[in-house]
């Protein structure tokens, strides 16, 4: 059976991972967190002193994911999206969170002041939404609110309906 590939993207702290894991367990699709994948495989290309984090080796990440993506049925979670091949994804969801809520979530993660400010600004200017629109066909890019627990449930139900419809449309 053909299954779709889904990209969950958005600023750190918008709850991509919470949505992705829950979605995977309810849909049977495979969940891949690119940050975890990079950590496990050491898919890095240096270290960013300013942000105090390793720099992702995007080419190696793409190589690592290629086979799984061509099989289909994968949910990919990452805060960047412009380096993935366009052909990989059937739909892209950009999660969006109110700045005050986002600030608290990132503060709880222990982000330093610069990282906090830059990520909240990233959200204000909708940087990830713009990046998604520049990288994929506009009709497959959708924004979803991610502020309260009910949003999570609504988003899961909406995406599950979409998966069901996609499978129907592609099963002939």
């Amino acid at each position: 059976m053909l299954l779709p590939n889904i990209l969950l993207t958005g600023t750190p702290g918008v709850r991509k991972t919470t949505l992705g894991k829950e979605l995977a367990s309810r849909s049977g699709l495979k969940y891949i967190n690119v940050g975890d994948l990079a950590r496990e495989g050491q898919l890095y290309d240096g270290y960013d002193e300013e942000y105090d984090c390793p720099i992702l080796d995007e080419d190696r990440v793409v190589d690592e994911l290629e086979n799984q993506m061509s099989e289909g049925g994968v949910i990919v979670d990452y805060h960047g999206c412009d380096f993935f091949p366009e052909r990989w994804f059937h739909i892209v969801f950009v999660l969006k969170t109110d700045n005050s809520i986002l600030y608290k979530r990132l503060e709880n993660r222990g982000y330093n002041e610069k990282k906090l400010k830059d990520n909240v600004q990233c959200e204000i200017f909708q940087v990830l939404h713009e990046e998604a629109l520049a990288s994929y066909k506009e009709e497959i890019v959708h924004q979803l609110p991610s502020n309260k627990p009910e949003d999570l449930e609504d988003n899961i139900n909406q995406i599950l309906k979409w998966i069901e419809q996609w499978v129907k449309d592609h099963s002939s």
Side-chain angles (χ1 to χ4, degrees):
M1 178 165 73
L2 267 182
L3 291 170
N5 289 331
I6 298 172
L7 175 62
L8 300 178
T9 190
T11 311
V14 294
R15 302 258 156 100
K16 298 178 292 295
T17 303
T18 309
L19 176 62
K21 286 181 171 168
E22 190 55 38
L23 197 56
S25 84
R26 294 202 213 171
S27 68
L29 269 61
K30 181 176 183 180
Y31 170 76
I32 296 176
N33 179 307
V34 172
D36 293 346
L37 180 83
R39 233 183 332 278
E40 287 155 19
Q42 287 300 299
L43 308 175
Y44 298 127
D45 186 20
Y47 197 82
D48 186 324
E49 297 300 333
E50 193 180 7
Y51 287 101
D52 191 27
C53 66
I55 299 163
L56 194 70
D57 186 332
E58 297 174 349
D59 292 338
R60 285 176 62 207
V61 168
V62 169
D63 290 345
E64 185 73 28
L65 287 173
E66 184 64 60
N67 289 340
Q68 295 178 75
M69 298 308 293
S70 58
E71 286 165 20
V74 181
I75 299 165
V76 172
D77 157 0
Y78 194 58
H79 56 256
C81 65
D82 59 356
F83 65 92
F84 297 121
E86 187 184 352
R87 63 185 151 77
W88 276 7
F89 298 107
H90 301 98
I91 197 157
V92 176
F93 293 105
V94 182
L95 271 60
K96 220 179 144 18
T97 299
D98 291 343
N99 308 325
S100 56
I101 297 171
L102 185 66
Y103 189 91
K104 282 192 193 85
R105 286 181 191 167
L106 296 178
E107 206 174 32
N108 291 339
R109 288 185 179 185
Y111 277 30
N112 67 35
E113 200 51 47
K114 177 171 177 44
K115 218 169 163 180
L116 266 173
K117 217 172 73 187
D118 286 356
N119 278 301
V120 170
Q121 268 188 332
C122 187
E123 187 66 6
I124 291 170
F125 294 118
Q126 299 201 27
V127 172
L128 269 306
H129 186 234
E130 293 298 320
E131 186 178 302
L133 289 172
S135 306
Y136 304 96
K137 290 192 185 84
E138 200 172 325
E139 60 268 22
I140 73 162
V141 176
H142 304 273
Q143 285 198 83
L144 295 174
S146 180
N147 297 308
K148 18 188 224 312
E150 306 85 86
D151 291 339
L152 178 64
E153 204 47 49
D154 290 346
N155 292 341
I156 288 168
N157 291 328
Q158 195 180 326
I159 298 171
L160 286 174
K161 275 198 191 92
W162 179 86
I163 293 170
E164 196 181 324
Q165 190 56 53
W166 191 94
V167 169
K168 262 190 206 139
D169 294 346
H170 295 80
S171 65
S172 51

